[in-house]
Amino acid sequence: MNSARSNPISTVAMHGVLILYTLIALFPVFVILINSFKTRKKIFREPLALPDAESFSLVGYQTVLKQGDFFLYFQNSFIVTVGSLTLILLFGAMAAFALSEYRFRGNMIMGLYLALGIMIPIRIGTVAILDMMVSTGLVNTLWALILVYTAQGLPLAVFILSEFMRQVSDDLKSAGRIDGLSEYTIFFKLVLPLVRPAMATVAVFNMIPIWNDLWFPLILAPAEETKTLTLGSQVFIGQFVTDWNAVLSALSMAILPVLVLYVIFSRQLIRGITSGAVK
Amino acid sequence: MQKPRIRWHIAVFLAPAVLIYTSVMIFPLFNTLRLALFQKVDQERVYVGLENFRTLFFDPTWSEQFWNALANNFWFFLIHMLVQNPIGIALAALLSHPRLRFAALYRSAIFIPTILSFVIVGFAWKLILSPIWGIAPSMMDAVGLKSLFAPWLGKEEYALTTLAMVSVWQFVGIPMMLIYAALLSIPEEMLEAGEIDGVTGIAAFWKIKLPLILPSIGIISILTFVANFNAFDLIYAAQGALAGPDFSTDILGTFMYRTFFGFQLQLGDPHMGSAIAGAMFAIILVGVCLYLFGIQSRMRRYQL
């Protein structure tokens, strides 16, 4: 049906442009990854060559593993990300249920109040957030980060989830109420399982910014034992700036977990964006 | 009349989210704006009204840095609007072509830079553009453009634009995805109707698709605006808190960080830091309001 709209020349041209841009997008990542496996000499002499038997070297990775506590950083990032996502999803879904299911005075205003945070970045309040974390003793703990990311993620989560919860059939909930289920049971047993796809979308949206954030780890939790992977690699690379093997290896080690997560969740992420969840 | 009973479960459902959101986001936001009205004098917090803002805008020692950061920030935003969003739209237009093969593959690959952290992106580009390593100069040599190479990140006149382009490289995936989604939602009948009237190919894009995706372009613009005026990480990762060379890459985020925490010999000043945060808040608020009342409400929503 679309024969009028495509001819071989334009198809080739389209692929050409897309391949070119794909190369631009992937080239830096590729260069970093291949050079992290090469000896220092080869990194400089043949930066674009793939590592072979002669130029292969893991010396950079050895430095990284010896000098930086990357497993600890990784663990911290993991705890912060999973902790924040859990709270965002649980509390966000609860609030979204309250707003979409019940009619009560102030419903509208509460919804608008929670939506304010979608557009206003939480970083503006950093000075007072640090003040508060210092006075509550939460500074340099992972809790500080988890709380901040939860607050940051809740507005969009409530917004998206309440849109989806409005679509859950009323008959189902009425049937539950007739059977004498409590409101809590209805929420956890009936509604939550039905909005799982929306929850996954919210989780994927929040995951990457939280994992990659540099600002709050730098300000709220810069201590050695609470460094996240992003901050840890930033500090490590800053110290080893002349050791190219170590820098390239540290970069590769920081790229890898995100890339793995992306491969696992990319379909979810893309479906989430393209289904119009951010409109 | 029956007395309405209090439905406690509503409160229970709302409480955790409202509590965390209020105490960690809304309250500190207003507290920061309040702190901007104080100054520390002899270890005591004194109310000074709008004095900090006067210092920030007009006192030469501060205002020079502030206006520099603000101007840089606008340039940073402008490059995103002029480069990132058009490229994103063009890529989306290509990807949404109905019979394009490997579309999903291209889409996933082009989105990869967006998922990387600023630290990785900042350092990776710093290495690639570095004259010591020589990847960029030797590649430009290969296409005969070696004379155009300069250590871009080290030159005052190029550094900010270079970093903005790096940021464009990283985030082009977001407008691409959003526009792609918008293009897919255009019904096939509309395009076929255009085809019957002889509007095909590029003309179909300009005359039919572009007007229909204008609301999405509005959304990307405001998202870009908020993200740019709140940016910090990339500049910090690539050029450090001093946003060198000679503050030529300083934007509001790095300026606020430096002021708040201090650097080298200057002590941190939370009150001036708050004042800068207040200015950022005002700018973002103006931008969002302009969008909501000026652009979005006037934009025609087509019933698709």
Side-chain angles (χ1 to χ4, degrees), chain A residues 170-219:
Chain A
D170 279 334
D171 296 350
L172 184 73
K173 286 171 283 192
S174 309
R177 290 200 177 100
I178 291 164
D179 285 349
L181 298 182
S182 74
E183 294 299 319
Y184 303 108
T185 320
I186 289 175
F187 171 67
F188 282 106
K189 292 269 163 67
L190 296 183
V191 177
L192 264 197
L194 287 175
V195 293
R196 258 204 314 240
M199 308 254 290
T201 303
V202 172
V204 175
F205 273 158
N206 280 293
M207 183 162 64
I208 291 164
I210 294 176
W211 182 275
N212 283 341
D213 187 41
L214 179 62
W215 175 265
F216 283 111
L218 187 66
I219 288 168

Side-chain angles (χ1 to χ4, degrees), chain B residues 20 56 68 135 148 158 167 171 191 202 219:
Chain B
I20 292 184
L56 190 62
N68 172 49
I135 287 201
L148 289 181
Y158 301 130
S167 174
F171 286 114
L191 298 174
I202 304 216
I219 290 172

Side-chain angles (χ1 to χ4, degrees), chain A residues 64-81 140 142 145 211 221-233 253 257:
Chain A
V64 172
L65 293 179
K66 222 181 296 162
Q67 299 291 334
D69 211 342
F70 272 74
F71 289 111
L72 179 68
Y73 302 157
F74 182 84
Q75 192 188 326
N76 287 337
S77 279
F78 189 77
I79 293 173
V80 168
T81 309
N140 276 327
L142 297 180
L145 296 178
W211 182 275
E224 184 59 28
E225 63 273 13
T226 50
K227 270 193 192 119
T228 59
L229 189 61
T230 306
L231 179 61
S233 29
M253 285 180 66

Side-chain angles (χ1 to χ4, degrees), chain A residues 12-265:
Chain A
V12 170
M14 280 198 309
H15 280 284
V17 172
L18 287 169
I19 289 173
L20 182 74
Y21 198 85
T22 306
L23 288 179
I24 295 176
L26 295 184
F27 173 73
V29 179
F30 174 73
V31 170
I32 299 293
L33 287 178
I34 58 168
N35 281 292
S36 71
F37 291 105
K38 296 202 294 210
T39 58
R40 189 182 164 78
K41 219 200 234 161
K42 290 284 177 188
I43 291 176
F44 282 96
R45 199 158 297 164
E46 290 162 7
L48 294 180
L50 286 171
D52 55 27
E54 187 209 346
S55 62
F56 184 79
S57 160
L58 288 174
V59 64
Y61 288 95
Q62 284 159 359
T63 317
V64 172
L65 293 179
K66 222 181 296 162
Q67 299 291 334
D69 211 342
F70 272 74
F71 289 111
L72 179 68
Y73 302 157
F74 182 84
Q75 192 188 326
N76 287 337
S77 279
F78 189 77
I79 293 173
V80 168
T81 309
V82 172
S84 317
L85 288 182
T86 313
L87 294 187
I88 291 172
L89 290 177
L90 178 64
F91 296 160
M94 284 164 62
F97 183 67
L99 291 178
S100 61
E101 176 67 15
Y102 307 113
R103 300 171 77 184
F104 56 93
R105 219 182 312 150
N107 182 320
M108 189 54 186
I109 290 178
M110 188 59 91
L112 280 177
Y113 172 69
L114 285 171
L116 268 183
I118 296 178
M119 275 302 180
I120 299 165
I122 193 170
R123 285 182 186 184
I124 304 281
T126 304
V127 177
I129 291 177
L130 179 63
D131 250 16
M132 182 176 76
M133 293 301 174
V134 170
S135 59
T136 50
L138 284 175
V139 80
N140 276 327
T141 62
L142 297 180
W143 272 110
L145 296 178
I146 294 178
L147 284 174
V148 167
Y149 295 140
T150 306
Q152 168 189 271
L154 277 172
L156 192 61
V158 172
F159 186 75
I160 294 178
L161 292 175
S162 51
E163 290 285 302
F164 275 85
M165 283 184 186
R166 290 208 179 92
Q167 296 164 13
V168 173
S169 97
D170 279 334
D171 296 350
L172 184 73
K173 286 171 283 192
S174 309
R177 290 200 177 100
I178 291 164
D179 285 349
L181 298 182
S182 74
E183 294 299 319
Y184 303 108
T185 320
I186 289 175
F187 171 67
F188 282 106
K189 292 269 163 67
L190 296 183
V191 177
L192 264 197
L194 287 175
V195 293
R196 258 204 314 240
M199 308 254 290
T201 303
V202 172
V204 175
F205 273 158
N206 280 293
M207 183 162 64
I208 291 164
I210 294 176
W211 182 275
N212 283 341
D213 187 41
L214 179 62
W215 175 265
F216 283 111
L218 187 66
I219 288 168
L220 297 179
E224 184 59 28
E225 63 273 13
T226 50
K227 270 193 192 119
T228 59
L229 189 61
T230 306
L231 179 61
S233 29
Q234 150 82 20
V235 173
F236 178 88
I237 293 169
Q239 284 166 354
F240 282 77
V241 95
T242 49
D243 185 342
W244 286 63
N245 292 94
V247 168
L248 291 167
S249 307
L251 284 174
S252 305
M253 285 180 66
I255 293 175
L256 219 60
V258 196
L259 220 51
V260 171
L261 281 178
Y262 180 62
V263 170
I264 300 172
F265 291 110

Side-chain angles (χ1 to χ4, degrees), chain B:
Chain B
M1 276 275 285
Q2 197 188 355
K3 190 172 165 255
R5 62 197 172 85
I6 300 174
R7 293 176 293 172
W8 282 108
H9 53 268
I10 299 182
V12 172
F13 279 131
L14 276 172
V18 172
L19 222 62
I20 292 184
Y21 173 70
T22 308
S23 62
V24 186
M25 183 152 179
I26 297 297
F27 175 70
L29 186 66
F30 284 101
N31 204 14
T32 301
L33 298 181
R34 192 181 63 88
L35 284 174
L37 304 178
F38 288 79
Q39 194 43 263
K40 216 171 207 157
V41 181
D42 302 329
Q43 301 303 311
E44 277 199 45
R45 197 174 271 182
V46 188
Y47 179 79
V48 294
L50 295 173
E51 190 60 27
N52 288 334
F53 289 99
R54 207 186 59 80
T55 312
L56 190 62
F57 299 148
F58 304 112
D59 181 343
T61 48
W62 285 94
S63 64
E64 199 184 320
Q65 288 195 67
F66 174 75
W67 296 113
N68 172 49
L70 187 64
N72 285 344
N73 223 146
F74 268 105
W75 180 242
F76 198 70
F77 171 61
L78 198 69
I79 295 205
H80 280 80
M81 286 301 285
L82 293 182
V83 183
Q84 171 189 284
N85 296 346
I87 294 184
I89 294 168
L91 288 172
L94 289 180
L95 285 175
S96 67
H97 199 273
R99 291 199 309 183
L100 184 83
R101 297 181 69 193
F102 312 119
L105 198 66
Y106 290 129
R107 211 175 46 191
S108 307
I110 293 173
F111 201 71
I112 282 183
T114 310
I115 60 160
L116 299 177
S117 80
F118 295 94
V119 174
I120 299 171
V121 170
F123 274 103
W125 276 101
K126 214 173 150 178
L127 296 183
I128 288 169
L129 294 176
S130 151
I132 305 173
W133 197 7
I135 287 201
S138 61
M139 285 184 71
M140 293 187 69
D141 198 17
V143 287
L145 291 174
K146 186 159 192 202
S147 56
L148 289 181
F149 179 79
W152 287 299
L153 283 175
K155 294 250 185 183
E156 264 177 60
E157 60 269 42
Y158 301 130
L160 181 66
T161 312
T162 312
L163 281 175
M165 293 302 286
V166 169
S167 174
V168 165
W169 170 82
Q170 181 175 11
F171 286 114
V172 102
I174 291 179
M176 179 186 82
M177 290 290 191
L178 293 176
I179 296 293
Y180 174 71
L183 286 172
L184 286 191
S185 68
I186 296 176
E188 188 68 21
E189 297 85 58
M190 274 183 136
L191 298 174
E192 274 169 12
E195 223 164 83
I196 291 166
D197 292 339
V199 184
T200 56
I202 304 216
F205 176 78
W206 289 107
K207 298 223 170 104
I208 303 176
K209 293 182 186 170
L210 198 64
L212 289 172
I213 58 171
L214 275 183
S216 301
I217 295 178
I219 290 172
I220 332 174
S221 306
I222 189 64
L223 288 179
T224 312
F225 181 82
V226 174
N228 283 166
F229 276 89
N230 165 41
F232 160 80
D233 310 52
L234 179 69
I235 311 271
Y236 181 79
Q239 308 289 58
L242 282 174
D246 193 24
F247 300 113
S248 60
T249 55
D250 203 19
I251 56 171
L252 291 171
T254 45
F255 181 41
M256 169 170 129
Y257 177 81
R258 251 195 348 267
T259 308
F260 178 25
F261 277 91
F263 63 101
Q264 291 175 345
L265 293 173
Q266 186 188 317
L267 281 176
D269 183 341
H271 298 292
M272 281 310 280
S274 304
I276 299 171
M280 288 164 76
F281 180 63
I283 292 169
I284 291 175
L285 211 60
V286 167
V288 171
C289 288
L290 272 180
Y291 166 72
L292 287 179
F293 302 114
I295 301 175
Q296 198 203 30
S297 57
R298 278 189 210 165
M299 204 149 350
R300 270 158 67 196
R301 290 264 173 192
Y302 294 89
Q303 198 69 45
L304 291 183

